[in-house]
Amino acid sequence: MTRQAAAGGRCADAKNQGRAWTAWLATMVFFLLTGCAQPARLPMEDAASSDAWSGRLSLQVDDPSAQPLNAAFELRGSPQQGELTLLNPFGNVLAKLTWSPGLATLTNGTETRKSESLDALVWQLTGSTVPVSALFGWLKREPTAVEGWEADLEGMDRGRLVAQRRSPLPHATLRIALDR
């Protein structure tokens, strides 16, 4: 091989390495920018008058057979017609509940279940009763009465809600932290 041919090969390798480095750098910048992207959030003062909330929720049931539920959530609509989406830490949808008068739908992965009862689908999803219709009032800082449940609205100025089910057994605790 001549000296010129060897030099040409090294030059081509350097160009390919430069292109590879540029492509890698562009990919990393893309992932950094998209990883830092956040959906628009409502200020706390607007959350009380809104019909849409997002944040994190935790449901702990005092029953050894019940799995605790910890997920990000998005809640939209009203007690009569709405949508509750549960998300994992990466933002992937774990489950979605939608409801309107006479029909509720639970989509959990590739499985879809329909019922006339929103409460029945919430039970299937969480293993517990959760007063979804009361959440709308509680998140608007309205003391909404639900039999067996007590909601502490004192922390709502900081975007925190704690509701406890005293009856029927087993006891359950629902904690919500709204996004700021």
Side-chain angles (χ1 to χ4, degrees):
M1 180 184 284
T2 67
R3 201 182 311 184
Q4 248 180 344
R10 283 192 298 258
C11 188
D13 287 343
K15 284 182 183 177
N16 287 338
Q17 286 178 347
R19 285 185 190 128
W21 173 252
T22 302
W24 180 85
L25 186 59
T27 302
M28 290 299 109
V29 168
F30 171 78
F31 282 123
L32 285 172
L33 291 176
T34 58
C36 295
Q38 295 288 320
R41 310 242 189 252
L42 290 172
M44 277 296 110
E45 56 273 6
D46 292 343
S49 63
S50 174
D51 290 330
W53 299 269
S54 65
R56 295 174 315 283
L57 68 79
S58 168
L59 177 64
Q60 307 292 319
V61 180
D62 292 342
D63 181 348
S65 65
Q67 290 288 338
L69 173 66
N70 295 293
F73 78 95
E74 296 173 351
L75 177 65
R76 293 174 175 49
S78 68
Q80 296 76 31
Q81 183 170 347
E83 177 181 290
L84 173 63
T85 305
L86 300 178
L87 307 151
N88 69 15
F90 299 109
N92 298 323
V93 174
L94 296 171
K96 182 183 273 189
L97 276 167
T98 58
W99 62 92
S100 58
L103 179 64
T105 304
L106 169 62
T107 304
N108 193 351
T110 59
E111 183 181 356
T112 299
R113 295 181 220 158
K114 296 183 182 218
S115 174
E116 292 180 7
S117 169
L118 173 61
D119 292 335
L121 292 181
V122 168
W123 179 269
Q124 288 178 18
L125 178 63
T126 66
S128 177
T129 61
V130 176
V132 173
S133 58
L135 284 178
F136 289 93
W138 293 341
L139 293 172
K140 289 182 178 182
R141 301 179 184 153
E142 298 169 358
T144 305
V146 177
E147 186 175 338
W149 283 84
E150 295 174 14
D152 179 2
L153 305 179
E154 294 294 318
M156 282 303 296
D157 58 335
R158 296 180 318 278
R160 303 290 187 261
L161 168 69
V162 177
Q164 295 185 334
R165 185 183 68 216
R166 303 287 185 204
S167 69
L169 293 175
H171 293 165
T173 302
L174 175 67
R175 297 179 192 281
I176 292 179
L178 295 175
D179 290 333
R180 294 201 172 261

